[in-house]
Amino acid sequence: MPTTNPHVLYIAALATLLWTTTSLTQAQTLAKPIAQANPQPLTPQPIARNLQNPWSLAFLPSGEFLVTERPGRLRVVAANGALGAPVQGVPEVAAGGQGGLLDVVVDADFASNRTLYFCFSEPGVGGNSTALARAQLARNPDRLENLRVVFSQRPKVASSAHFGCRIVEGRTAQGQPDGTLFMTLGDRFSRSQDAQTLDNHHGKVIRIHKDGSVPADNPLVQRAGALPEIWSWGHRNPQGATLAPDGKLWVHEHGPQGGDEINVPLPGRNYGWPAISYGVHYGGAKIGDGATAKAGLEQPLHYWTPSIAPSGMAFVTSERYGKDWAGNLVVASLKFGRLHRLELAQPFAGKVVRETTLLTDLGQRIRDVRQGPDGLLYVLTDQSNGQLLRLLPQAGQ
Protein backbone atom coordinates (compact mmCIF):
# COMPACT_ATOMS: atom_id res chain seq x y z
CA MET A 1 0.00 0.00 0.00
CA PRO A 2 1.39 3.46 -0.85
CA THR A 3 2.61 5.39 2.16
CA THR A 4 0.56 8.28 3.54
CA ASN A 5 3.29 9.43 5.91
CA PRO A 6 3.69 13.14 5.03
CA HIS A 7 7.39 13.21 5.87
CA VAL A 8 8.07 10.21 3.61
CA LEU A 9 6.11 11.88 0.84
CA TYR A 10 8.01 15.12 1.48
CA ILE A 11 11.32 13.33 0.89
CA ALA A 12 9.91 11.47 -2.10
CA ALA A 13 9.20 14.75 -3.84
CA LEU A 14 12.90 15.37 -4.22
CA ALA A 15 12.96 12.60 -6.82
CA THR A 16 11.21 14.83 -9.32
CA LEU A 17 13.81 15.50 -12.01
CA LEU A 18 11.95 17.32 -14.75
CA TRP A 19 12.36 21.09 -15.06
CA THR A 20 10.28 23.71 -16.81
CA THR A 21 9.55 27.31 -16.02
CA THR A 22 6.76 29.76 -16.65
CA SER A 23 6.16 33.31 -15.61
CA LEU A 24 3.04 35.00 -14.34
CA THR A 25 2.41 38.72 -14.19
CA GLN A 26 0.76 40.31 -11.20
CA ALA A 27 -2.23 40.86 -13.49
CA GLN A 28 -2.70 37.06 -13.47
CA THR A 29 -1.82 36.60 -17.15
CA LEU A 30 0.22 33.54 -18.02
CA ALA A 31 3.24 34.32 -20.18
CA LYS A 32 4.90 32.00 -22.64
CA PRO A 33 7.64 29.79 -21.14
CA ILE A 34 10.86 31.71 -20.67
CA ALA A 35 13.69 30.52 -22.91
CA GLN A 36 16.58 28.95 -21.05
CA ALA A 37 19.89 30.46 -22.12
CA ASN A 38 23.06 28.44 -22.35
CA PRO A 39 24.76 28.14 -18.95
CA GLN A 40 27.24 31.00 -18.51
CA PRO A 41 30.58 30.06 -16.99
CA LEU A 42 31.44 31.50 -13.62
CA THR A 43 34.53 30.34 -11.79
CA PRO A 44 33.85 29.15 -8.22
CA GLN A 45 36.80 30.07 -6.03
CA PRO A 46 36.82 28.16 -2.72
CA ILE A 47 37.34 30.38 0.31
CA ALA A 48 36.49 27.98 3.15
CA ARG A 49 35.81 24.26 3.40
CA ASN A 50 34.68 21.81 6.09
CA LEU A 51 31.63 23.79 7.13
CA GLN A 52 28.86 21.54 8.44
CA ASN A 53 25.65 22.30 6.58
CA PRO A 54 26.24 26.06 6.38
CA TRP A 55 22.98 27.97 6.07
CA SER A 56 23.67 31.69 5.93
CA LEU A 57 26.41 34.17 5.18
CA ALA A 58 27.03 37.76 6.28
CA PHE A 59 29.95 40.12 5.60
CA LEU A 60 31.91 41.92 8.31
CA PRO A 61 33.57 45.32 7.79
CA SER A 62 36.93 43.71 8.56
CA GLY A 63 36.72 41.57 5.43
CA GLU A 64 35.81 38.49 7.46
CA PHE A 65 32.63 36.46 7.07
CA LEU A 66 29.97 35.26 9.49
CA VAL A 67 28.60 31.81 8.67
CA THR A 68 25.92 29.81 10.45
CA GLU A 69 26.06 26.02 10.57
CA ARG A 70 22.67 24.36 10.93
CA PRO A 71 23.66 22.10 13.88
CA GLY A 72 23.92 25.28 15.99
CA ARG A 73 27.30 26.92 15.41
CA LEU A 74 28.16 30.46 14.36
CA ARG A 75 31.65 30.93 12.96
CA VAL A 76 33.83 33.84 11.92
CA VAL A 77 35.67 32.91 8.74
CA ALA A 78 38.84 34.85 8.02
CA ALA A 79 39.38 36.51 4.66
CA ASN A 80 41.89 33.74 3.86
CA GLY A 81 39.30 31.05 4.68
CA ALA A 82 40.54 30.01 8.12
CA LEU A 83 37.64 28.82 10.27
CA GLY A 84 37.36 30.39 13.69
CA ALA A 85 36.22 28.37 16.69
CA PRO A 86 32.44 28.38 17.24
CA VAL A 87 31.31 31.72 18.64
CA GLN A 88 30.17 31.29 22.23
CA GLY A 89 26.76 32.39 23.48
CA VAL A 90 24.52 30.99 20.75
CA PRO A 91 21.29 29.76 22.38
CA GLU A 92 20.14 26.15 22.27
CA VAL A 93 18.59 25.23 18.92
CA ALA A 94 16.20 22.43 17.99
CA ALA A 95 18.62 20.87 15.52
CA GLY A 96 17.20 18.16 13.30
CA GLY A 97 15.40 17.87 10.00
CA GLN A 98 15.31 21.40 8.60
CA GLY A 99 15.79 23.00 12.00
CA GLY A 100 18.84 24.52 13.63
CA LEU A 101 20.76 27.78 13.46
CA LEU A 102 19.59 29.40 10.24
CA ASP A 103 19.81 32.99 8.94
CA VAL A 104 22.16 35.74 10.14
CA VAL A 105 22.41 39.40 9.13
CA VAL A 106 24.49 42.27 10.50
CA ASP A 107 22.98 45.61 11.39
CA ALA A 108 23.46 48.48 8.94
CA ASP A 109 25.48 50.22 11.67
CA PHE A 110 27.44 47.12 12.66
CA ALA A 111 30.77 48.94 12.37
CA SER A 112 29.79 51.10 15.34
CA ASN A 113 27.27 48.97 17.29
CA ARG A 114 28.49 45.37 16.60
CA THR A 115 24.84 44.25 16.43
CA LEU A 116 23.68 41.22 14.52
CA TYR A 117 20.39 39.35 14.16
CA PHE A 118 19.88 35.65 13.66
CA CYS A 119 16.98 33.24 13.55
CA PHE A 120 16.84 29.66 14.72
CA SER A 121 14.50 26.80 15.62
CA GLU A 122 13.74 27.47 19.26
CA PRO A 123 12.76 24.53 21.49
CA GLY A 124 10.01 25.02 24.02
CA VAL A 125 6.70 23.83 25.41
CA GLY A 126 4.74 22.12 22.64
CA GLY A 127 7.72 21.54 20.35
CA ASN A 128 9.64 24.28 18.57
CA SER A 129 9.21 27.37 16.45
CA THR A 130 11.23 29.97 14.56
CA ALA A 131 12.72 32.66 16.78
CA LEU A 132 14.64 35.87 16.11
CA ALA A 133 17.46 37.01 18.39
CA ARG A 134 19.70 40.06 18.50
CA ALA A 135 23.15 40.25 20.06
CA GLN A 136 26.47 42.03 19.81
CA LEU A 137 29.58 40.35 18.52
CA ALA A 138 32.43 40.95 20.96
CA ARG A 139 35.40 42.99 19.73
CA ASN A 140 37.41 39.83 20.06
CA PRO A 141 34.82 37.97 17.97
CA ASP A 142 34.75 34.80 20.04
CA ARG A 143 31.42 35.35 21.80
CA LEU A 144 28.01 37.00 21.66
CA GLU A 145 27.08 39.65 24.22
CA ASN A 146 23.75 41.14 25.30
CA LEU A 147 21.78 38.34 23.65
CA ARG A 148 18.01 38.78 23.60
CA VAL A 149 15.29 36.85 21.79
CA VAL A 150 13.02 39.56 20.38
CA PHE A 151 10.45 37.39 18.60
CA SER A 152 9.16 33.82 18.87
CA GLN A 153 6.74 32.32 16.36
CA ARG A 154 3.45 31.20 17.94
CA PRO A 155 2.39 28.51 18.50
CA LYS A 156 5.21 26.04 18.97
CA VAL A 157 4.51 22.66 17.35
CA ALA A 158 6.19 19.27 17.12
CA SER A 159 7.70 19.53 13.64
CA SER A 160 11.16 19.48 12.11
CA ALA A 161 10.13 21.17 8.85
CA HIS A 162 9.18 24.50 7.26
CA PHE A 163 10.82 27.05 9.54
CA GLY A 164 11.22 29.70 6.82
CA CYS A 165 13.71 31.95 8.59
CA ARG A 166 15.15 34.67 6.38
CA ILE A 167 15.77 38.13 7.86
CA VAL A 168 15.87 41.42 5.95
CA GLU A 169 16.53 44.86 7.41
CA GLY A 170 13.89 47.34 6.28
CA ARG A 171 14.91 50.47 4.38
CA THR A 172 13.20 53.50 2.96
CA ALA A 173 12.85 54.11 -0.77
CA GLN A 174 15.93 56.32 -0.40
CA GLY A 175 17.95 53.40 0.97
CA GLN A 176 18.13 54.47 4.59
CA PRO A 177 17.54 51.92 7.39
CA ASP A 178 14.05 52.45 8.83
CA GLY A 179 14.53 50.59 12.13
CA THR A 180 12.51 47.51 11.16
CA LEU A 181 13.19 43.88 10.37
CA PHE A 182 11.25 41.53 8.11
CA MET A 183 11.35 37.80 8.79
CA THR A 184 9.84 34.92 6.83
CA LEU A 185 8.04 32.13 8.69
CA GLY A 186 7.10 28.70 7.35
CA ASP A 187 3.80 26.90 7.82
CA ARG A 188 5.51 24.06 9.76
CA PHE A 189 4.37 21.53 7.12
CA SER A 190 1.70 19.84 9.27
CA ARG A 191 -0.10 23.15 9.91
CA SER A 192 -0.55 24.43 6.36
CA GLN A 193 -4.12 25.63 6.98
CA ASP A 194 -2.74 28.04 9.58
CA ALA A 195 -1.27 30.09 6.73
CA GLN A 196 -4.81 31.33 6.02
CA THR A 197 -5.67 32.39 9.57
CA LEU A 198 -4.32 35.42 11.40
CA ASP A 199 -4.25 34.18 15.01
CA ASN A 200 -0.89 32.46 14.50
CA HIS A 201 2.47 33.10 12.84
CA HIS A 202 2.56 30.04 10.59
CA GLY A 203 3.04 30.78 6.89
CA LYS A 204 3.57 34.50 7.40
CA VAL A 205 5.97 37.32 6.74
CA ILE A 206 6.32 39.50 9.83
CA ARG A 207 7.66 43.01 10.39
CA ILE A 208 8.93 44.23 13.75
CA HIS A 209 11.17 46.91 15.17
CA LYS A 210 14.70 45.83 16.01
CA ASP A 211 13.77 45.60 19.69
CA GLY A 212 10.84 43.29 18.93
CA SER A 213 8.09 45.89 19.27
CA VAL A 214 5.41 46.24 16.61
CA PRO A 215 5.48 49.16 14.17
CA ALA A 216 2.35 51.28 14.45
CA ASP A 217 1.86 51.19 10.67
CA ASN A 218 1.80 47.39 10.37
CA PRO A 219 -1.29 46.40 8.37
CA LEU A 220 -3.12 44.33 11.02
CA VAL A 221 -2.47 46.38 14.13
CA GLN A 222 -6.11 47.42 14.37
CA ARG A 223 -7.67 44.11 13.26
CA ALA A 224 -9.27 42.20 16.12
CA GLY A 225 -7.95 38.67 16.56
CA ALA A 226 -4.96 39.17 14.24
CA LEU A 227 -1.38 39.02 15.45
CA PRO A 228 0.04 42.51 14.96
CA GLU A 229 3.48 41.43 13.72
CA ILE A 230 1.98 40.01 10.50
CA TRP A 231 2.89 41.80 7.27
CA SER A 232 1.51 39.26 4.77
CA TRP A 233 0.19 35.71 4.88
CA GLY A 234 -0.63 32.68 2.75
CA HIS A 235 3.03 31.61 2.47
CA ARG A 236 4.32 28.04 2.61
CA ASN A 237 8.05 27.88 3.40
CA PRO A 238 9.87 31.07 2.38
CA GLN A 239 13.64 30.50 2.48
CA GLY A 240 14.77 33.42 0.36
CA ALA A 241 14.31 37.14 0.96
CA THR A 242 16.04 40.30 -0.17
CA LEU A 243 15.38 44.00 -0.47
CA ALA A 244 15.33 45.84 -3.78
CA PRO A 245 17.04 49.24 -3.89
CA ASP A 246 13.58 50.89 -3.84
CA GLY A 247 12.92 49.38 -0.41
CA LYS A 248 10.50 46.66 -1.58
CA LEU A 249 10.78 43.21 -0.06
CA TRP A 250 11.14 40.23 -2.42
CA VAL A 251 10.56 36.69 -1.14
CA HIS A 252 10.66 33.22 -2.62
CA GLU A 253 9.14 30.11 -1.14
CA HIS A 254 9.11 26.38 -1.62
CA GLY A 255 6.00 24.99 -3.24
CA PRO A 256 4.88 21.41 -2.57
CA GLN A 257 5.50 19.20 -5.62
CA GLY A 258 5.87 22.09 -8.04
CA GLY A 259 4.77 25.66 -7.51
CA ASP A 260 7.86 27.32 -6.01
CA GLU A 261 7.12 31.05 -6.08
CA ILE A 262 8.64 34.52 -6.07
CA ASN A 263 6.45 37.20 -4.49
CA VAL A 264 6.82 40.87 -3.64
CA PRO A 265 4.78 40.84 -0.41
CA LEU A 266 2.64 43.92 0.08
CA PRO A 267 1.25 44.81 3.51
CA GLY A 268 -2.01 43.09 4.41
CA ARG A 269 -2.09 40.85 1.32
CA ASN A 270 -2.85 37.12 1.15
CA TYR A 271 -0.54 35.08 -1.11
CA GLY A 272 -2.83 32.09 -1.29
CA TRP A 273 -1.24 29.02 0.27
CA PRO A 274 -2.85 26.49 0.59
CA ALA A 275 -6.08 27.80 -0.95
CA ILE A 276 -4.33 28.10 -4.33
CA SER A 277 -1.11 26.66 -5.68
CA TYR A 278 0.65 25.83 -8.94
CA GLY A 279 1.87 22.60 -7.33
CA VAL A 280 0.32 19.38 -6.08
CA HIS A 281 0.70 17.33 -2.94
CA TYR A 282 3.63 14.92 -2.73
CA GLY A 283 2.23 11.91 -4.51
CA GLY A 284 0.16 13.93 -6.99
CA ALA A 285 -3.09 14.77 -5.18
CA LYS A 286 -4.63 18.21 -5.66
CA ILE A 287 -3.96 21.05 -3.24
CA GLY A 288 -7.46 21.87 -1.98
CA ASP A 289 -9.77 22.01 -4.99
CA GLY A 290 -6.84 22.33 -7.38
CA ALA A 291 -7.38 26.04 -8.08
CA THR A 292 -4.47 28.23 -9.14
CA ALA A 293 -6.31 31.54 -8.72
CA LYS A 294 -9.14 32.89 -6.59
CA ALA A 295 -10.57 36.34 -5.92
CA GLY A 296 -8.74 38.19 -3.15
CA LEU A 297 -5.61 36.04 -3.34
CA GLU A 298 -2.40 37.36 -4.86
CA GLN A 299 -0.67 35.73 -7.78
CA PRO A 300 3.10 35.10 -7.74
CA LEU A 301 5.41 37.29 -9.75
CA HIS A 302 7.10 34.10 -11.00
CA TYR A 303 6.84 30.38 -10.33
CA TRP A 304 8.56 27.10 -11.15
CA THR A 305 6.81 23.81 -11.90
CA PRO A 306 8.38 21.33 -11.24
CA SER A 307 10.22 22.74 -8.27
CA ILE A 308 13.82 23.90 -8.10
CA ALA A 309 13.78 23.98 -4.24
CA PRO A 310 14.94 27.61 -3.93
CA SER A 311 16.97 28.85 -0.98
CA GLY A 312 18.73 32.19 -0.82
CA MET A 313 18.22 35.15 -3.12
CA ALA A 314 20.05 38.39 -3.93
CA PHE A 315 19.87 41.34 -6.28
CA VAL A 316 22.96 42.11 -8.33
CA THR A 317 23.68 45.83 -8.02
CA SER A 318 27.25 45.83 -9.34
CA GLU A 319 28.65 45.53 -12.86
CA ARG A 320 31.35 43.02 -11.91
CA TYR A 321 29.75 40.48 -14.28
CA GLY A 322 28.91 43.05 -16.95
CA LYS A 323 26.48 45.93 -17.24
CA ASP A 324 23.62 43.66 -18.25
CA TRP A 325 23.76 41.91 -14.86
CA ALA A 326 22.97 45.03 -12.85
CA GLY A 327 19.36 44.83 -11.69
CA ASN A 328 19.13 41.05 -12.08
CA LEU A 329 17.93 38.66 -9.39
CA VAL A 330 19.84 35.48 -8.53
CA VAL A 331 18.22 32.51 -6.79
CA ALA A 332 19.96 29.42 -5.43
CA SER A 333 18.60 25.94 -6.11
CA LEU A 334 18.99 23.17 -3.56
CA LYS A 335 17.48 20.53 -5.80
CA PHE A 336 19.64 21.11 -8.85
CA GLY A 337 22.72 22.61 -7.17
CA ARG A 338 22.85 25.67 -9.40
CA LEU A 339 22.06 29.37 -9.59
CA HIS A 340 19.21 30.91 -11.54
CA ARG A 341 19.83 34.35 -13.00
CA LEU A 342 16.53 36.15 -13.55
CA GLU A 343 16.45 39.16 -15.86
CA LEU A 344 13.54 41.47 -15.14
CA ALA A 345 11.48 43.77 -17.32
CA GLN A 346 13.14 46.72 -15.60
CA PRO A 347 16.18 46.75 -13.31
CA PHE A 348 15.06 45.51 -9.87
CA ALA A 349 11.38 45.45 -10.95
CA GLY A 350 8.80 43.85 -13.18
CA LYS A 351 8.15 40.34 -14.40
CA VAL A 352 10.86 37.85 -15.27
CA VAL A 353 11.66 38.04 -18.99
CA ARG A 354 14.66 35.71 -19.21
CA GLU A 355 16.21 33.01 -17.05
CA THR A 356 19.69 31.55 -17.16
CA THR A 357 21.03 28.59 -15.20
CA LEU A 358 24.55 28.92 -13.79
CA LEU A 359 27.04 26.62 -12.03
CA THR A 360 25.33 23.62 -13.57
CA ASP A 361 28.40 21.44 -13.03
CA LEU A 362 28.90 22.32 -9.38
CA GLY A 363 27.20 19.16 -8.14
CA GLN A 364 26.41 20.53 -4.67
CA ARG A 365 23.25 21.89 -3.09
CA ILE A 366 23.41 25.68 -2.84
CA ARG A 367 21.86 27.01 0.35
CA ASP A 368 22.61 30.73 0.21
CA VAL A 369 23.73 33.39 -2.26
CA ARG A 370 24.76 36.95 -1.39
CA GLN A 371 26.41 39.88 -3.11
CA GLY A 372 29.50 40.96 -1.21
CA PRO A 373 30.86 44.46 -0.59
CA ASP A 374 33.21 43.87 -3.55
CA GLY A 375 30.23 43.40 -5.88
CA LEU A 376 30.90 39.70 -6.40
CA LEU A 377 28.52 36.86 -5.59
CA TYR A 378 29.22 34.35 -2.82
CA VAL A 379 27.47 31.04 -2.21
CA LEU A 380 27.30 28.41 0.50
CA THR A 381 26.99 24.72 -0.35
CA ASP A 382 24.76 22.70 1.97
CA GLN A 383 26.51 19.47 2.89
CA SER A 384 28.43 17.98 5.78
CA ASN A 385 31.66 19.38 4.31
CA GLY A 386 30.10 22.52 2.90
CA GLN A 387 32.02 25.31 1.24
CA LEU A 388 32.02 29.09 1.01
CA LEU A 389 32.65 29.99 -2.63
CA ARG A 390 33.39 33.30 -4.35
CA LEU A 391 32.08 33.46 -7.93
CA LEU A 392 34.56 35.06 -10.28
CA PRO A 393 33.45 36.45 -13.65
CA GLN A 394 34.68 34.86 -16.82
CA ALA A 395 37.35 36.67 -18.77
CA GLY A 396 35.91 39.58 -20.71
CA GLN A 397 32.99 40.21 -18.36
mmCIF file of all heavy atoms in Angstrom, residues 209-228:
data_model
loop_
_atom_site.group_PDB
_atom_site.id
_atom_site.type_symbol
_atom_site.label_atom_id
_atom_site.label_comp_id
_atom_site.label_asym_id
_atom_site.label_seq_id
_atom_site.Cartn_x
_atom_site.Cartn_y
_atom_site.Cartn_z
ATOM 1 N N HIS A 209 10.024 46.058 14.890
ATOM 2 C CA HIS A 209 11.170 46.913 15.169
ATOM 3 C C HIS A 209 12.327 46.043 15.651
ATOM 4 O O HIS A 209 12.147 44.887 16.061
ATOM 5 C CB HIS A 209 10.822 47.950 16.232
ATOM 6 C CG HIS A 209 9.947 49.059 15.739
ATOM 7 N ND1 HIS A 209 10.291 49.868 14.680
ATOM 8 C CD2 HIS A 209 8.738 49.511 16.177
ATOM 9 C CE1 HIS A 209 9.349 50.763 14.473
ATOM 10 N NE2 HIS A 209 8.390 50.571 15.356
ATOM 11 N N LYS A 210 13.513 46.602 15.643
ATOM 12 C CA LYS A 210 14.699 45.834 16.011
ATOM 13 C C LYS A 210 14.698 45.393 17.472
ATOM 14 O O LYS A 210 15.426 44.466 17.839
ATOM 15 C CB LYS A 210 15.956 46.631 15.691
ATOM 16 C CG LYS A 210 16.166 46.837 14.192
ATOM 17 C CD LYS A 210 17.387 47.690 13.900
ATOM 18 C CE LYS A 210 17.587 47.898 12.408
ATOM 19 N NZ LYS A 210 18.755 48.744 12.106
ATOM 20 N N ASP A 211 13.879 46.016 18.297
ATOM 21 C CA ASP A 211 13.775 45.600 19.695
ATOM 22 C C ASP A 211 12.623 44.619 19.913
ATOM 23 O O ASP A 211 12.345 44.223 21.039
ATOM 24 C CB ASP A 211 13.615 46.809 20.619
ATOM 25 C CG ASP A 211 12.335 47.599 20.345
ATOM 26 O OD1 ASP A 211 11.539 47.221 19.444
ATOM 27 O OD2 ASP A 211 12.118 48.616 21.034
ATOM 28 N N GLY A 212 11.950 44.233 18.834
ATOM 29 C CA GLY A 212 10.838 43.291 18.925
ATOM 30 C C GLY A 212 9.475 43.925 19.017
ATOM 31 O O GLY A 212 8.459 43.225 18.926
ATOM 32 N N SER A 213 9.394 45.223 19.196
ATOM 33 C CA SER A 213 8.089 45.886 19.271
ATOM 34 C C SER A 213 7.466 45.961 17.884
ATOM 35 O O SER A 213 8.121 45.768 16.861
ATOM 36 C CB SER A 213 8.244 47.279 19.882
ATOM 37 O OG SER A 213 9.096 48.093 19.085
ATOM 38 N N VAL A 214 6.170 46.262 17.863
ATOM 39 C CA VAL A 214 5.410 46.238 16.614
ATOM 40 C C VAL A 214 5.286 47.643 16.041
ATOM 41 O O VAL A 214 4.841 48.568 16.741
ATOM 42 C CB VAL A 214 4.007 45.653 16.856
ATOM 43 C CG1 VAL A 214 3.171 45.712 15.580
ATOM 44 C CG2 VAL A 214 4.116 44.213 17.351
ATOM 45 N N PRO A 215 5.656 47.840 14.796
ATOM 46 C CA PRO A 215 5.478 49.158 14.172
ATOM 47 C C PRO A 215 4.002 49.560 14.123
ATOM 48 O O PRO A 215 3.127 48.731 13.822
ATOM 49 C CB PRO A 215 6.037 48.962 12.759
ATOM 50 C CG PRO A 215 6.982 47.810 12.876
ATOM 51 C CD PRO A 215 6.373 46.906 13.898
ATOM 52 N N ALA A 216 3.735 50.810 14.416
ATOM 53 C CA ALA A 216 2.351 51.283 14.455
ATOM 54 C C ALA A 216 1.681 51.218 13.094
ATOM 55 O O ALA A 216 0.443 51.167 13.013
ATOM 56 C CB ALA A 216 2.310 52.714 14.990
ATOM 57 N N ASP A 217 2.454 51.218 12.002
ATOM 58 C CA ASP A 217 1.857 51.192 10.671
ATOM 59 C C ASP A 217 1.793 49.787 10.069
ATOM 60 O O ASP A 217 1.530 49.641 8.870
ATOM 61 C CB ASP A 217 2.610 52.130 9.723
ATOM 62 C CG ASP A 217 4.085 51.774 9.554
ATOM 63 O OD1 ASP A 217 4.589 50.935 10.322
ATOM 64 O OD2 ASP A 217 4.724 52.350 8.652
ATOM 65 N N ASN A 218 2.021 48.746 10.875
ATOM 66 C CA ASN A 218 1.804 47.390 10.373
ATOM 67 C C ASN A 218 0.338 47.220 9.967
ATOM 68 O O ASN A 218 -0.556 47.823 10.577
ATOM 69 C CB ASN A 218 2.175 46.352 11.434
ATOM 70 C CG ASN A 218 3.600 45.855 11.291
ATOM 71 O OD1 ASN A 218 4.403 46.437 10.568
ATOM 72 N ND2 ASN A 218 3.924 44.778 11.993
ATOM 73 N N PRO A 219 0.056 46.402 8.958
ATOM 74 C CA PRO A 219 -1.288 46.400 8.371
ATOM 75 C C PRO A 219 -2.398 45.846 9.253
ATOM 76 O O PRO A 219 -3.566 46.173 9.036
ATOM 77 C CB PRO A 219 -1.114 45.540 7.117
ATOM 78 C CG PRO A 219 0.070 44.678 7.389
ATOM 79 C CD PRO A 219 0.991 45.535 8.204
ATOM 80 N N LEU A 220 -2.069 44.984 10.240
ATOM 81 C CA LEU A 220 -3.120 44.329 11.018
ATOM 82 C C LEU A 220 -3.178 44.798 12.465
ATOM 83 O O LEU A 220 -3.841 44.176 13.292
ATOM 84 C CB LEU A 220 -2.915 42.807 10.978
ATOM 85 C CG LEU A 220 -2.900 42.165 9.584
ATOM 86 C CD1 LEU A 220 -2.770 40.659 9.693
ATOM 87 C CD2 LEU A 220 -4.145 42.534 8.788
ATOM 88 N N VAL A 221 -2.515 45.894 12.749
ATOM 89 C CA VAL A 221 -2.466 46.383 14.133
ATOM 90 C C VAL A 221 -3.851 46.617 14.702
ATOM 91 O O VAL A 221 -4.117 46.338 15.881
ATOM 92 C CB VAL A 221 -1.612 47.671 14.214
ATOM 93 C CG1 VAL A 221 -1.797 48.356 15.553
ATOM 94 C CG2 VAL A 221 -0.139 47.345 13.996
ATOM 95 N N GLN A 222 -4.764 47.087 13.893
ATOM 96 C CA GLN A 222 -6.109 47.422 14.369
ATOM 97 C C GLN A 222 -7.118 46.308 14.135
ATOM 98 O O GLN A 222 -8.308 46.487 14.449
ATOM 99 C CB GLN A 222 -6.593 48.694 13.677
ATOM 100 C CG GLN A 222 -5.707 49.911 13.893
ATOM 101 C CD GLN A 222 -5.581 50.296 15.353
ATOM 102 O OE1 GLN A 222 -6.527 50.160 16.133
ATOM 103 N NE2 GLN A 222 -4.396 50.765 15.745
ATOM 104 N N ARG A 223 -6.702 45.172 13.563
ATOM 105 C CA ARG A 223 -7.666 44.112 13.262
ATOM 106 C C ARG A 223 -7.812 43.181 14.456
ATOM 107 O O ARG A 223 -6.850 42.561 14.908
ATOM 108 C CB ARG A 223 -7.255 43.318 12.037
ATOM 109 C CG ARG A 223 -8.311 42.284 11.619
ATOM 110 C CD ARG A 223 -7.947 41.504 10.377
ATOM 111 N NE ARG A 223 -7.819 42.346 9.202
ATOM 112 C CZ ARG A 223 -7.732 41.862 7.965
ATOM 113 N NH1 ARG A 223 -7.779 40.537 7.767
ATOM 114 N NH2 ARG A 223 -7.587 42.673 6.942
ATOM 115 N N ALA A 224 -9.019 43.052 14.966
ATOM 116 C CA ALA A 224 -9.274 42.195 16.124
ATOM 117 C C ALA A 224 -8.952 40.743 15.787
ATOM 118 O O ALA A 224 -9.313 40.238 14.721
ATOM 119 C CB ALA A 224 -10.733 42.325 16.541
ATOM 120 N N GLY A 225 -8.261 40.083 16.716
ATOM 121 C CA GLY A 225 -7.946 38.673 16.555
ATOM 122 C C GLY A 225 -6.733 38.375 15.711
ATOM 123 O O GLY A 225 -6.327 37.209 15.607
ATOM 124 N N ALA A 226 -6.136 39.381 15.088
ATOM 125 C CA ALA A 226 -4.964 39.174 14.244
ATOM 126 C C ALA A 226 -3.697 39.500 15.029
ATOM 127 O O ALA A 226 -3.679 40.451 15.823
ATOM 128 C CB ALA A 226 -5.035 40.047 12.999
ATOM 129 N N LEU A 227 -2.647 38.734 14.808
ATOM 130 C CA LEU A 227 -1.375 39.023 15.454
ATOM 131 C C LEU A 227 -0.735 40.234 14.777
ATOM 132 O O LEU A 227 -0.600 40.267 13.547
ATOM 133 C CB LEU A 227 -0.456 37.809 15.381
ATOM 134 C CG LEU A 227 -0.959 36.568 16.128
ATOM 135 C CD1 LEU A 227 0.047 35.432 16.035
ATOM 136 C CD2 LEU A 227 -1.246 36.892 17.590
ATOM 137 N N PRO A 228 -0.337 41.225 15.555
ATOM 138 C CA PRO A 228 0.045 42.515 14.964
ATOM 139 C C PRO A 228 1.366 42.504 14.216
ATOM 140 O O PRO A 228 1.632 43.429 13.450
ATOM 141 C CB PRO A 228 0.113 43.445 16.174
ATOM 142 C CG PRO A 228 0.436 42.542 17.331
ATOM 143 C CD PRO A 228 -0.300 41.260 17.035
#
